[in-house]
Amino acid sequence: MAEKAQYEELARSFSAIGVVKRDLGRMLPPDCPGGSAGVLTLLGRHGDMRMSRLAELLSVDMSVTSRHVAHAAERGWIERLPDPADRRSRILRLTPVGRDRLDDLYERITHLLADRLGDWSDDEVGLLIGLLARLRESFGDCRAGPRIPVAEASPPVAEALAPVAEENTTEHTTRTPA
């Protein structure tokens, strides 16, 4: 098991992820904010789904999900179809126009990552992918379980959590394709 100092350094390093997320967010087209990009990405990855499932995957409130879905539907990127199992519910589905928008988003992200990580080896990129997947798995469903208020965390942890806490007090959106 790592020592306390290593975990503190890791906590400080997490603040750098905010810089990466902001840079990724800046490459989104003006008509496709992060929340809409998240909706398209999740529908592209998981297929058709109910809005309640989408809200779960986005880790945001149903009202926020509804705004993101309305934005994407107004642009013709998704359609809301009656759920055959429950006519009161709707199934969300990517349209061909939405698939094109998603392909454009992936292209933009791929170019940005290739530019920023161009001096990394294939092995280093693969290692990063594996470690990030393992990190995500270690945290599981972050919506369950206790949360430590930033003010009560140790200084390195508080520093790392500050950008996340700030984001969570404004609007709960997904800033980049998930």
Side-chain angles (χ1 to χ4, degrees):
M1 184 163 167
E3 293 183 24
K4 180 181 177 190
Q6 287 179 298
Y7 288 122
E8 288 175 350
E9 182 58 31
L10 180 59
R12 280 189 289 275
S13 295
F14 282 140
S15 65
I17 292 173
V19 172
V20 173
K21 285 178 61 177
R22 284 187 295 279
D23 208 15
L24 287 168
R26 282 191 281 275
M27 55 62 59
L28 293 174
D31 69 333
C32 188
S36 296
V39 167
L40 297 178
T41 300
L42 290 170
L43 286 172
R45 182 181 306 153
H46 298 283
D48 302 354
M49 69 182 75
R50 286 183 176 181
M51 187 146 18
S52 58
R53 175 67 178 141
L54 182 61
E56 256 179 55
L57 291 171
L58 287 171
S59 297
V60 297
D61 195 83
M62 188 66 95
S63 64
V64 174
T65 302
S66 182
R67 279 197 315 267
H68 297 322
V69 164
H71 182 268
E74 287 166 7
R75 280 148 186 79
W77 299 336
I78 65 170
E79 56 188 347
R80 296 176 265 201
L81 306 168
D83 182 346
D86 180 357
R87 292 281 180 195
R88 296 169 296 168
S89 295
R90 297 281 179 245
I91 298 290
L92 306 174
R93 173 180 293 156
L94 273 178
T95 65
V97 173
R99 174 61 61 192
D100 289 344
R101 173 50 91 189
L102 183 57
D103 290 344
D104 173 60
L105 294 174
Y106 282 143
E107 192 67 27
R108 289 167 180 260
I109 287 173
T110 300
H111 284 292
L112 179 66
L113 291 173
D115 178 61
R116 297 297 195 278
L117 306 180
D119 61 340
W120 290 37
S121 71
D122 289 348
D123 288 343
E124 288 171 322
V125 173
L127 180 61
L128 178 62
I129 292 167
L131 290 172
L132 288 173
R134 186 170 177 197
L135 177 67
R136 173 80 181 196
E137 186 178 304
S138 292
F139 276 79
D141 184 355
C142 297
R143 293 162 297 184
R147 298 188 191 272
I148 300 170
V150 174
E152 294 176 21
S154 66
V157 174
E159 179 184 322
L161 293 176
V164 175
E166 187 176 302
E167 275 183 23
N168 288 340
T169 58
T170 55
E171 181 182 349
H172 298 282
T173 62
T174 303
R175 299 272 180 227
T176 58

